[in-house]
């Protein structure tokens, strides 16, 4: 199975900050990577797919980059509604696997 | 508009069985791959099983032989038959639809809670 490792596990930042979350795959997945945001008690929400393609309706302050095994999710200017837990997920092959999550708190 | 609505969760004893259902609307099940993803209380997301548009099935190792994914195209409904339940199967189970072609998950249901406890 492909292991996905996210860092950091928790992150506290202020409104307006630039935030970066990193995801590493245990083997090459080209750009078959998605990012999701999950808020407490809710289903995950798709933010980014194919490593860097912004899902329709997602604010442009979210961006993704990377290929191969190293990927990043960047929030350009943090907003109060951006709190939650962020997950990366590889869909290169089954079994699909998720990173352990990054919990983002707003200071 | 795509919608996914899970049902069938509840409390079951270890060794027991449950069948989850996921009713879909706004798309044709037989065209898309659909998955079950679970989340144990306070934990991260864990992919469980998938069925492709063509009917091929896939499972994570820890549920293979105990869980069976299936669908009824006439009812646009996805199922997960869970047998020999264990305490570690306790989780919210989400039904999810994959995109056509790229296979990322683009829609999620609201989830149904399965609790395995004596």
């Amino acid at each position: 199975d492909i292991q996905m490792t996210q860092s950091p596990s928790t992150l506290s930042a202020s409104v307006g900050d630039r935030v970066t979350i990193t995801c590493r795959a245990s083997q090459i997945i080209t750009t078959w990577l998605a990012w999701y945001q999950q808020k407490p008690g809710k289903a995950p929400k798709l933010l980014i797919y194919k490593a860097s393609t912004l899902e329709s309706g997602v604010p442009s302050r979210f961006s993704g980059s990377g290929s191969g095994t190293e990927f990043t999710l960047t929030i350009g200017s943090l907003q109060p509604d951006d709190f939650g837990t962020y997950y990366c997920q590889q869909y290169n092959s089954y079994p699909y696997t998720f990173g352990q999550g990054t919990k983002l708190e707003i200071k | 508009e795509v919608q996914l609505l899970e049902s069938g969760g509840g409390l079951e004893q270890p060794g027991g069985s449950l069948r989850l259902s996921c009713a879909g609307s706004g798309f044709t099940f037989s065209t898309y791959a659909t998955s079950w993803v679970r989340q144990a209380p306070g934990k991260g997301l864990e992919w469980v099983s998938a069925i492709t548009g063509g009917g091929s099935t896939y499972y994570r190792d820890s549920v293979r032989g105990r869980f069976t994914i299936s669908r009824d195209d006439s009812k646009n409904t996805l199922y997960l038959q869970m047998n020999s339940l264990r305490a570690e199967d306790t989780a919210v189970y989400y039904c999810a639809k994959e995109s056509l072609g790229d296979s990322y998950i683009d829609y999620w249901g609201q989830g149904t809670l399965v609790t395995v406890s004596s």
Side-chain angles (χ1 to χ4, degrees), chain B:
Chain B
E1 179 190 6
V2 171
Q3 291 192 332
L4 298 163
L5 185 62
E6 303 95 334
S7 60
L11 175 63
E12 183 56 64
Q13 294 186 340
S17 298
L18 279 174
R19 188 177 83 155
L20 305 184
S21 300
C22 172
S25 60
F27 71 104
T28 303
F29 260 71
S30 59
T31 303
Y32 296 85
T34 44
S35 290
W36 290 96
V37 177
R38 67 186 180 185
Q39 186 168 37
K43 302 297 184 182
L45 300 168
E46 182 176 80
W47 177 87
V48 174
S49 180
I51 183 167
T52 67
S56 298
T57 58
Y58 300 86
Y59 300 92
R60 68 179 300 105
D61 286 347
S62 61
V63 309
R64 188 176 292 112
R66 299 189 298 124
F67 290 10
T68 302
I69 191 170
S70 62
R71 68 170 190 246
D72 185 332
D73 293 342
S74 68
K75 296 181 179 179
N76 234 33
T77 300
L78 178 71
Y79 302 100
L80 185 67
Q81 178 66 45
M82 304 187 296
N83 298 331
S84 302
L85 283 164
R86 305 168 180 168
E88 55 264 35
D89 296 320
T90 294
V92 172
Y93 284 72
Y94 293 102
C95 169
K97 169 192 164 294
E98 295 183 19
S99 68
L100 195 61
D102 270 7
S103 301
Y104 56 89
I105 292 173
D106 54 1
Y107 289 94
W108 300 72
Q110 87 292 345
T112 187
L113 176 62
V114 171
T115 303
V116 183
S117 174
S118 55

Side-chain angles (χ1 to χ4, degrees), chain A residues 25-88:
Chain A
S26 62
Q27 63 189 72
I28 292 171
I29 57 170
T30 59
T31 55
W32 303 123
L33 183 104
W35 290 96
Y36 301 90
Q37 176 195 60
Q38 187 180 33
K39 298 198 173 182
K42 300 294 186 182
K45 172 189 173 184
L46 175 66
L47 300 175
I48 302 277
Y49 61 93
K50 213 167 185 178
S52 61
T53 304
L54 193 67
E55 170 70 346
S56 176
V58 174
S60 59
R61 63 181 179 274
F62 291 91
S63 63
S65 64
S67 66
T69 62
E70 300 280 340
F71 303 88
T72 59
L73 172 71
T74 300
I75 307 173
S77 177
L78 196 65
Q79 298 301 302
D81 190 48
D82 296 338
F83 77 93
T85 302
Y86 291 79
Y87 295 92
C88 62

